[in-house]
Amino acid sequence: LGGAVFVPEVFPALATRRVLGMEYVEGENIKEVRRRGASELEVTRIVTALVDAFSLTMHGEIFNCDPHPGNLLVETATGRLAVLDWGQARRLSPAERTAYTRLFMAVAMEDTLLMREACADLGAPQSDFAGPPDPMPNTMVGTLRFLLRDTKQAAQARGDFEQLEAILRQVKGGADADVQISGGVEEICRGALLPFTKTVNLLFEVASSLDVSL
């Protein structure tokens, strides 16, 4: 994952179907670094390393299926970011990795045809979007662009989902339409796209809690 981020060594002799034995890492949870008085430069460096690392894993061979702040530790001795608990992980096939790349390209270029093809390749046809947004291609491109927006400080980020809800209400038929997604991005895309939404949710939760804008 690069010099700034690492995965603790796994000990196969200590691994079973229910237990994963890994190297012990002395450190603090990523959300604690600001509370101990870390400089703005250090906090930004840590969050940048996190974003870069998980951007890489979305296109890499092995994906951590349970990304959350509790599994992120800043090593005391080096300041490196340790990604713990790979008990829930899976290998992404070359076809899946290509499809995720095509999905990112589709969102960046607002290409609805490419998005439909990428979702189909991931096993997530338009009807598989279980969340509130209308699954029309244009609406979903806009929603996915929203998910991939720049990180914001907590005070700015809180209103983002309310703003998206207001937009989606208009799409679904007016201000009285029932659209509630304030619980997080995992309410928008599920199924085969859940790894995507869980990763985005992790990055925004950490960046917002540490008041870092990227």
Side-chain angles (χ1 to χ4, degrees):
L1 295 179
V5 183
F6 72 103
V7 175
E9 181 182 356
V10 175
F11 300 107
L14 301 178
T16 69
R17 289 180 60 86
R18 295 182 178 274
V19 177
L20 181 66
M22 303 185 75
E23 167 191 7
Y24 176 76
V25 177
E26 182 73 33
E28 60 187 341
N29 181 268
I30 190 171
K31 285 189 173 184
E32 300 296 323
V33 293
R34 188 176 288 280
R35 295 174 188 170
R36 67 162 165 80
S39 68
E40 196 69 33
L41 182 63
E42 181 182 1
V43 174
T44 300
R45 176 191 64 78
I46 292 170
V47 175
T48 300
L50 172 68
V51 172
D52 289 346
F54 274 88
S55 298
L56 176 64
T57 62
M58 287 299 297
H59 304 290
E61 182 178 358
I62 299 178
F63 180 78
N64 188 325
C65 298
D66 189 29
H68 63 79
N71 288 337
L72 301 173
L73 203 68
V74 179
E75 189 176 32
T76 302
T78 65
R80 295 186 303 165
L81 185 63
V83 182
L84 310 176
D85 191 2
W86 287 73
Q88 297 183 50
R90 64 181 293 263
R91 292 186 180 275
L92 297 178
S93 69
E96 288 177 305
R97 289 148 63 186
T98 299
Y100 272 119
T101 300
R102 285 158 59 86
L103 179 62
F104 283 111
M105 291 175 59
V107 173
M109 298 187 296
E110 299 185 359
D111 188 326
T112 56
L113 178 59
L114 184 60
M115 188 201 72
R116 294 176 73 104
E117 293 175 350
C119 289
D121 289 343
L122 287 168
Q126 290 294 298
S127 59
D128 201 36
F129 288 105
D134 191 311
M136 293 185 302
N138 287 332
T139 303
M140 290 313 305
V141 164
T143 302
L144 293 176
R145 282 184 64 86
F146 169 82
L147 297 183
L148 291 173
R149 70 202 185 283
D150 293 342
T151 61
K152 296 181 179 180
Q153 295 180 344
Q156 297 173 297
R158 276 191 288 268
D160 283 353
F161 281 96
E162 295 178 3
Q163 181 181 357
L164 180 60
E165 286 177 352
I167 294 172
L168 293 173
R169 286 194 189 97
Q170 295 302 317
V171 172
K172 292 179 71 67
D176 295 332
D178 184 18
V179 176
Q180 295 183 355
I181 57 174
S182 296
V185 297
E186 292 181 29
E187 296 181 16
I188 298 177
C189 301
R190 303 173 187 170
L193 293 184
L194 188 58
F196 169 85
T197 52
K198 291 186 73 170
T199 298
V200 172
N201 198 39
L202 165 72
L203 300 180
F204 270 91
E205 180 180 350
V206 171
S208 297
S209 67
L210 293 177
D211 282 331
V212 174
S213 297
L214 294 175

